[in-house]
Amino acid sequence: MEIIRTVEWMKQTSRQAEAAGRVIGLVPTMGALHEGHLSLVRAARERCSPVVVSIFVNPKQFGPSEDFQQYPRDLDKDRALLENLNVDYLFVPEAEEIYPRDFRTSVHVQGLSDKFEGRVRPGHFQGVSTVVLKLCEIVRPHFAYFGRKDAQQARIIRQMCTDLNLDSEIVVRPILREPDGLAMSSRNAYLKNDDRRAAQILFQSLDAVRRKIATGAREAGSLLDVLRSTIASERVAELDYAEIVDADSFEPIHFLRGNCLILVAARIGATRLIDNVLVEEHGGNFAVSL
Ligand code: AMP
């Protein structure tokens, strides 16, 4: 695995691969890798060669009072994990390499970026869209891999690629979970002792909704009641938002129909966690993917 630190070298390397007719896969990450990230790398490995993984803790997607400084970083461990998966290139630029002093541009996918995570974290998705656009232009991947764990982010990136005519195809992969259901996340490292146990409540609330759907419930209000009361049963948890939205528009829906997402965000002590499930309609039946 070659480690690349400059934009110029990453560009040259990708352009050569492209000229040689190879299929380039990109997995953008902020590092502190876990099995969720690795599942994206494995999916890229199956279809693409070379596979490029980027590790960049993007300052522009953190608010001033957020955890940019504390965000977990462990490059040596990440590197070993990626070497094991036969990743071809690890792109690890410094912040000044991505954002030179006179950097002025920001990408804003309107509407989709302003609700849910975007409302709670103003500017977050502009930071994400801007860096992903840059990565897609530097690497020019045929396929770029994202997790449904960050469903709103994946939807925004897909919209950006369509709107800006990028050639990269966005692939969205399922959520990998811990044995107790907690969605894997680099931020789970913040959960100590009782908070780690309490964090199960997010998955449990979504699983309770899944069971309710299995009994035939279709009305969003009653499904959300189940979700909210499950979260409320955990003393340490503080619900941020819970909503059932159309998977395409991210507009709230009143009855299950088509493809929708059940979104939840909550604070467990000082740690903010998000999770979701995908509900897909097949001929009047609903399949729930946790
Ligand atoms: P991050 O390093 O948090 O920016 O995440 C990098 C990519 O990994 C994003 O596309 C995430 O959605 C994805 N990801 C994070 N956690 C998981 C998970 N538990 N399962 C699948 N993908 C994930």
Side-chain angles (χ1 to χ4, degrees):
M1 183 172 75
E2 185 182 343
I3 305 216
I4 298 185
R5 296 184 188 275
T6 68
V7 166
E8 212 34 58
W9 188 238
M10 187 69 253
K11 262 185 155 177
Q12 273 192 39
T13 306
S14 293
R15 297 302 179 275
Q16 277 167 17
E18 159 91 270
R22 297 172 68 187
V23 177
I24 304 170
L26 171 66
V27 183
T29 81
M30 298 207 298
L33 302 179
H34 50 66
E35 276 301 316
H37 297 113
L38 301 184
S39 72
L40 304 182
V41 176
R42 287 192 185 95
R45 184 74 286 173
E46 268 180 29
R47 194 171 193 180
C48 308
S49 174
V51 171
V52 180
V53 176
S54 61
I55 295 183
F56 181 60
V57 184
N58 175 27
K60 288 203 187 294
Q61 70 187 69
F62 289 80
S65 58
E66 290 185 0
D67 56 345
F68 175 68
Q69 298 296 344
Q70 304 92 293
Y71 196 83
R73 293 163 171 88
D74 192 344
L75 190 57
D76 290 340
K77 184 170 165 224
D78 290 349
R79 186 174 167 167
L81 290 167
L82 296 173
E83 249 159 17
N84 251 333
L85 294 182
N86 295 320
V87 165
D88 300 275
Y89 302 108
L90 171 56
F91 182 42
V92 274
E94 295 290 340
E96 306 78 61
E97 186 66 14
I98 295 294
Y99 303 118
R101 254 187 356 160
D102 201 28
F103 189 87
R104 289 162 192 269
T105 302
S106 171
V107 181
H108 182 193
V109 178
Q110 290 175 23
L112 285 173
S113 298
D114 306 320
K115 46 183 96 172
F116 304 113
E117 285 306 284
R119 193 169 46 75
V120 182
R121 307 180 65 189
H124 169 67
F125 286 126
Q126 279 95 314
V128 171
S129 307
T130 304
V131 81
V132 173
L133 175 59
K134 283 185 68 102
L135 291 169
C136 282
E137 180 46 31
I138 294 164
V139 176
R140 294 218 188 130
H142 296 84
F143 299 97
Y145 292 81
F146 293 86
R148 201 195 77 220
K149 161 76 174 31
D150 301 285
Q152 191 179 0
Q153 165 178 288
R155 177 67 190 89
I156 288 168
I157 297 300
R158 181 169 276 165
Q159 186 72 39
M160 176 185 78
C161 286
T162 305
D163 288 352
L164 301 182
N165 307 103
L166 300 194
D167 286 330
S168 306
E169 183 177 319
I170 302 304
V171 182
V172 182
R173 304 282 308 168
I175 302 177
L176 262 79
R177 298 180 177 281
E178 300 289 354
D180 65 357
L182 176 65
M184 290 181 180
S185 164
S186 306
R187 288 192 169 95
N188 291 351
Y190 300 150
L191 296 166
K192 302 292 179 223
N193 310 321
D194 197 42
D195 285 352
R196 173 61 190 84
R197 179 204 52 74
Q200 297 172 24
I201 202 70
L202 272 84
F203 173 77
Q204 286 168 358
S205 69
L206 293 169
D207 195 41
V209 176
R210 179 188 61 77
R211 278 183 270 119
K212 180 99 176 157
I213 293 172
T215 67
R218 300 287 179 260
E219 201 252 321
S222 65
L223 295 171
L224 288 170
D225 284 346
V226 170
L227 196 157
R228 291 198 182 100
S229 63
T230 310
I231 298 275
S233 71
E234 174 52 66
R235 190 180 45 84
V236 189
E238 196 189 318
L239 185 66
D240 201 339
Y241 61 78
E243 197 59 80
I244 305 185
V245 299
D246 178 88
D248 190 51
S249 66
F250 271 72
E251 288 296 329
I253 55 164
H254 299 297
F255 286 92
L256 295 185
R257 58 168 166 72
N259 293 346
C260 40
L261 286 160
I262 307 177
L263 308 173
V264 60
R267 272 177 205 286
I268 305 293
T271 309
R272 189 167 178 281
L273 300 174
I274 59 172
D275 203 343
N276 69 79
V277 296
L278 173 65
V279 183
E280 292 168 296
E281 183 177 359
H282 304 285
N285 294 319
F286 288 91
V288 180
S289 305
L290 286 162

